[in-house]
Each structure stands twice: as C-alpha cells, then as structure tokens.
Amino acid sequence: QDQLQQKIICPGPVTCLTASPNGLYILAGVAESIYLWEVSNGNLLAILNRHYQDLTCLCFTDDSSHFLSGAKDCLALVWNLYNVLQAEPSQIPDPRHVWSRHSLPITDLCCGFGGPLARAATASLDQTAKLWEISSGELLLSVLFDVGIMAVTLDLSEYHMFCGGMDGSIFQVDLCAWPVQRDRTFQTERENGKVFKGHRNQVTCLSVSTDGSLLLSGSHDETVRLWDIQSKQCLKTMNHKGPVTNAFIVLAPANMFNPDGKPSVPLPKFSRHLHGTESSDEPGAEGVTLRLGMHQQEPGQSYLEKAERMYSQMYSTREKNLVGDQEHLTIQVSELEEEVSNLRKINKDLFDFSTRIITKPAK
C-alpha cells in the first residue's frame, strides 16, 4: 500500500475538492463555504460565503486564473482568483458572474480550454445541462433531457458535450449541430445513436481522453466503464466495492515510472484559520508575508503572473532532474559560472581604468 504522506484535518465534511492546474492552490467546499489554501505553506487564504446551501462542485479554468463553484442553492458562481487573493480579510469578494438559470441543485461543472475566454458547462437536477461563456457570463446553450443530469464534460475540441443521467444513460450532445438553437430538447427516441447504455444506476462522473476517442464513466452501480465514443460500445468494465463517486483520465506524470521519484518537500499541514488572523507567536510560525494593495501595484506583471512564471521555471528544472537530464544542467551551470567570471573581470578592468583616470595628476 502507498504510504500516507499527510492527513489534513478540515473545518468540516468536505463535499467537493479541486486543485489548480498549476499546483499552487487547493479549493474545498465545506458546507456553504469555499476554502482556499496555498499548497506550498498550507496557509488558508480565503473563506468565501456567497452560497446559501451546501457546495456540490468546484473547478478551475485551465490557466488557474478563475474558478467556478456550484451548490444546492441552484447557483453557479464564477470567481476571479486574483480578486479573491487581493481582497481584505474582512471583506468577501464579489464573484465575477452569478448564473441563476437553473431551478434545482447544481450537480456538476466542467470548464473548457481558453482561460477566462473558455466555455463552461453546468449540470442540474432540473433535467438540463447549460453551456456558458466565462468572459461575458452569457448563456450559450440549454439542453433539456427527460431525466436529471448528474455529470457533464466536454471533449478537448468542444464538439460534443456528454451528460450523465440519473437513470444510468449517458447522452452525447452535438455542439455544432445545425440549426443553431439556444434552447434544445434532447429526445432519446430520435437520437438513439447518441446514447451510451450500460449503467444500471445514476452516472456520477465523466471524462474524455485527450484524443477524443474514449469516454470514462463512473456510476452508483459500483462500476467504472470505458466507452468507444464512435461506436458507443463499452470496451471495459471495472467493478468496485461501493458506489463510484469520481473517476477521470489524466496524462501520466514524467516520474510515474521512476522508482526514485519521490517528493523532496513534505506537504505542510493546512491551516484552519485565515492567514494573517492567527497569532504570530505560535511555535513554528515563521516566514515573511507580502501583500500588495490594489492602489500600491506597480505596472507590469501581476502577482499571479509572477507566481506562474516562477512555478514554470521550477517545474521545468524539476522535470529535467526527473528524466535524468543532469548532464545538461551541469553544462548550463558551468556556462553560467564562466559568464559570471567574465563579468567580474570586466568589472575589475572598468574599476582599474576609472581609478587611473580619477587619480591621474593634472598637468
């Protein structure tokens, strides 16, 4: 069995959990609140209380600049991460958009590619799945089904939207169908070739492979199924001891097959109090806190952009180490040392030249 790296005690039962794609932040839904932690030091950065009932789902945009939240209060909210991080602890930042077109609890969220310009899909017990534009907040498409929808996802090219129903059916919705209609009804008897049938209970999660050929689904019937999207045939069934609540397809990390690829830095304990409100006299409390107000920011890169750049540099160096490209790093270090030596020599020559000019006696 894998060794447990860290056990994190949260303020209450966690109903949904997600991590930013850049690995810097963790979001958790606890009752009606959204908790935001920084992974590197475990600081609790924000507690967002804008939902009126329990959270059901959370997801980030692919560039980690925004995140979406859905709850039993029928609302889906779009948050700007930068605004959340820069808000004062005493203030609750406003979401960028409030989507209130669903009439029953939100069950799932999915965000496409494009950062703040991406499209997002929401699923609900009101038997609809809706497609939205994050930048403007406008509703692009609403599809009505004959069952409640429990899961939704988009393929990589966003040609299709897949929706999992309470009866175990999975529906494939063509997003490029003609004529273009904002409100559509998915009639199962007419679109038999666009339904995946096999699950005997509600579908809880969906995931599409990067090449768009395979669909992974999990269900309360205690199975995970792998489907061929083109033929709608089930290729493989994996049985579990209990209802499946989540399953998804991910790219294998570079160090997956490296036996020595273990984390070098232990994961810190996540704080249960907002960062900045806990006492600094606590044992083990250390570090420097830097906070830029909105009026103090200098033109140029924002905090998130700088963090993203630093993370990408650290990540590229770590990847090179993991794949064994140590020789390249050694050559690079030696080149940098040689450049530093040359700069020191030039600096010394300039200093000597300036000294001779200054101390030269006047004629």
Side-chain angles (χ1 to χ4, degrees):
Q1 293 183 356
D2 293 337
Q3 185 178 359
L4 181 66
Q5 184 181 354
Q6 181 66 266
K7 184 177 180 180
I8 299 169
I9 306 298
C10 293
V14 176
T15 56
C16 48
L17 182 72
T18 190
S20 61
N22 60 17
L24 298 179
Y25 303 99
I26 288 285
L27 282 175
V30 179
E32 303 160 7
S33 304
I34 304 171
Y35 285 73
L36 173 65
W37 282 281
E38 189 171 7
V39 174
S40 61
N41 51 30
N43 287 336
L44 179 58
L45 302 180
I47 302 176
L48 307 175
N49 298 294
R50 286 300 298 265
H51 284 284
Y52 306 104
Q53 294 186 36
D54 291 356
L55 269 291
T56 56
C57 43
L58 291 163
C59 72
F60 271 95
T61 56
D62 61 321
D63 66 343
S64 305
S65 66
H66 291 71
F67 61 90
L68 286 72
S69 61
K72 292 181 179 180
D73 58 6
C74 315
L75 298 178
L77 308 182
V78 180
W79 303 85
N80 186 314
L81 179 61
Y82 176 78
N83 290 341
V84 171
L85 292 175
Q86 291 298 316
E88 293 298 327
S90 59
Q91 298 177 345
I92 299 177
D94 292 325
R96 180 173 177 178
H97 300 300
V98 178
W99 294 334
S100 56
R101 301 291 291 271
H102 286 289
S103 56
L104 286 176
I106 307 289
T107 54
D108 197 15
L109 289 168
C110 173
C111 191
F113 284 87
L117 302 177
R119 296 185 292 181
T122 58
S124 172
L125 293 178
D126 63 6
Q127 302 186 0
T128 66
K130 300 183 187 293
L131 193 66
W132 310 80
E133 187 176 57
I134 292 180
S135 57
S136 64
E138 291 186 5
L139 175 64
L140 303 178
L141 175 68
S142 179
V143 185
L144 176 64
F145 300 87
D146 52 8
V147 294
I149 302 301
M150 301 299 298
V152 65
T153 192
L154 301 166
D155 64 352
L156 205 60
S157 58
E158 298 185 16
Y159 283 160
H160 306 290
M161 179 170 65
F162 299 91
C163 307
M166 293 193 69
D167 63 349
S169 300
I170 303 171
F171 310 100
Q172 177 180 316
V173 179
D174 294 334
L175 300 180
C176 301
W178 188 264
V180 178
Q181 297 174 311
R182 197 179 74 167
D183 296 295
R184 291 161 53 182
T185 301
F186 190 96
Q187 297 176 339
T188 307
E189 62 276 3
R190 290 187 183 179
E191 306 191 62
N192 242 354
K194 298 178 183 177
V195 181
F196 300 79
K197 296 182 178 179
H199 285 297
R200 300 180 303 276
N201 205 333
Q202 67 183 40
V203 177
T204 55
C205 50
L206 294 169
S207 180
V208 181
S209 62
T210 52
D211 62 357
S213 64
L214 300 174
L215 174 69
L216 186 74
S217 63
S219 170
H220 275 190
D221 64 6
E222 304 183 0
T223 66
V224 171
R225 292 176 180 263
L226 191 65
W227 307 83
D228 178 71
I229 293 178
Q230 187 68 29
S231 64
K232 307 293 185 294
Q233 297 297 312
C234 180
L235 303 178
K236 189 173 183 180
T237 301
M238 292 156 276
N239 296 307
H240 290 263
K241 297 179 180 178
V244 177
T245 57
N246 203 2
F248 51 90
I249 300 172
V250 294
L251 294 173
N255 64 337
M256 181 175 180
F257 302 105
N258 182 7
D260 300 324
K262 297 180 180 179
S264 57
V265 180
L267 192 66
K269 291 185 177 179
F270 283 14
S271 173
R272 300 180 67 178
H273 303 283
L274 274 175
H275 180 54
T277 59
E278 62 267 20
S279 172
S280 60
D281 298 331
E282 293 179 1
E286 58 183 20
V288 178
T289 301
L290 177 63
R291 187 179 187 88
L292 296 179
M294 296 294 288
H295 61 287
Q296 296 173 315
Q297 290 183 41
E298 298 178 356
Q301 285 186 319
S302 67
Y303 166 76
L304 287 181
E305 290 172 336
K306 291 180 181 178
E308 178 72 19
R309 181 171 56 83
M310 292 177 61
Y311 175 81
S312 62
Q313 290 175 352
M314 292 187 294
Y315 185 79
S316 62
T317 303
R318 185 182 64 179
E319 287 296 311
K320 289 177 181 178
N321 283 329
L322 291 175
V323 299
D325 199 6
Q326 194 67 36
E327 183 179 351
H328 175 74
L329 286 177
T330 304
I331 295 173
Q332 193 175 11
V333 168
S334 62
E335 290 175 350
L336 290 174
E337 288 176 345
E338 184 179 351
E339 185 177 354
V340 169
S341 177
N342 291 334
L343 291 173
R344 283 177 176 170
K345 184 177 182 303
I346 293 171
N347 188 51
K348 184 178 182 301
D349 292 341
L350 287 172
F351 178 81
D352 293 339
F353 176 76
S354 302
T355 304
R356 287 197 302 271
I357 294 296
I358 294 172
T359 58
K360 186 177 181 180
K363 292 182 180 180

